[in-house]
Amino acid sequence: MLRVCFALALFSVVLSHLCLIDPHQRGSMEGINEPGAKDCLRTTKQCGGMPGPMMEPLVSIMGGHMYNITFQKNLCHYNPKMPGTLDVYLGNGKGKDMKMMKLKTIMDTNTTSPYLYVVEVMIPDEPMPHAVLQVVYNTSNPQAPPMFYQCSDFRIEKSHKGQ
């Protein structure tokens, strides 16, 4: 019985999750209010292995303005000896070779699970018909997967400042 409890505890610790709420992540958000949500378990590099939309994104964000990104650390993997990071990136286009620009880094802390982050970033004032926002949880924890990924697709409209 003790072995079963230990195995279940280890299983729940290893499956940290990251959920991207706004803008909406690729795929569903089923069960995100419960620690260990399966739709937030993405460990494959570049968007957690979730393909982008077949069509150009319908959601638009105005460039040249601050925007609040909302994401959730669904399970905590805080490592006090070497804290990880939560990084926000922006890319232009599709595909595995897409170049990503880092917008923000947050140091990991020992939080409750789930834990909500709201991070303000500057959206570039350049039109992008297909922008990709990627949030990466770098755990720095040898007893957990090294990284978790979530992506969202939208387009960036150029602002009309100064016109």
Side-chain angles (χ1 to χ4, degrees):
M1 182 66 170
L2 184 59
R3 286 184 187 161
V4 171
C5 290
F6 178 74
L8 288 173
L10 184 61
F11 181 73
S12 69
V13 168
V14 170
L15 290 178
S16 175
H17 296 60
L18 176 69
C19 310
L20 181 53
I21 297 167
D22 184 27
H24 191 289
Q25 70 188 26
R26 292 178 179 177
S28 86
M29 288 197 254
E30 188 174 318
I32 68 165
N33 291 325
E34 297 296 323
K38 68 177 176 63
D39 285 334
C40 301
L41 174 61
R42 310 277 184 241
T43 58
T44 305
K45 189 173 181 173
Q46 198 75 334
C47 297
M50 293 293 290
M54 299 298 268
M55 303 180 327
E56 291 300 318
L58 300 176
V59 175
S60 291
I61 295 176
M62 186 63 65
H65 297 278
M66 300 302 286
Y67 186 84
N68 287 328
I69 308 296
T70 305
F71 57 93
Q72 177 195 73
K73 183 170 58 168
N74 192 258
L75 281 176
C76 183
H77 275 302
Y78 178 67
N79 179 359
K81 293 179 182 174
M82 190 167 66
T85 59
L86 294 118
D87 301 306
V88 179
Y89 296 90
L90 181 67
N92 187 2
K94 300 179 190 178
K96 294 182 180 187
D97 297 328
M98 176 178 27
K99 301 269 190 280
M100 300 297 268
M101 170 180 66
K102 189 182 286 190
L103 299 178
K104 188 78 103 179
T105 294
I106 300 167
M107 292 304 296
D108 192 17
T109 58
N110 193 13
T111 62
T112 58
S113 295
Y115 188 82
L116 205 59
Y117 292 86
V118 178
V119 179
E120 190 174 51
V121 298
M122 174 59 80
I123 301 297
D125 199 11
E126 295 295 323
M128 288 186 201
H130 192 144
V132 176
L133 182 86
Q134 179 171 246
V135 180
V136 180
Y137 179 17
N138 298 289
T139 66
S140 295
N141 187 332
Q143 298 186 6
M147 295 181 184
F148 295 87
Y149 303 86
Q150 282 293 350
C151 284
S152 178
D153 301 273
F154 54 93
R155 65 178 181 262
I156 298 176
E157 304 288 339
K158 186 165 178 55
S159 74
H160 300 288
K161 292 180 183 179
Q163 290 184 1

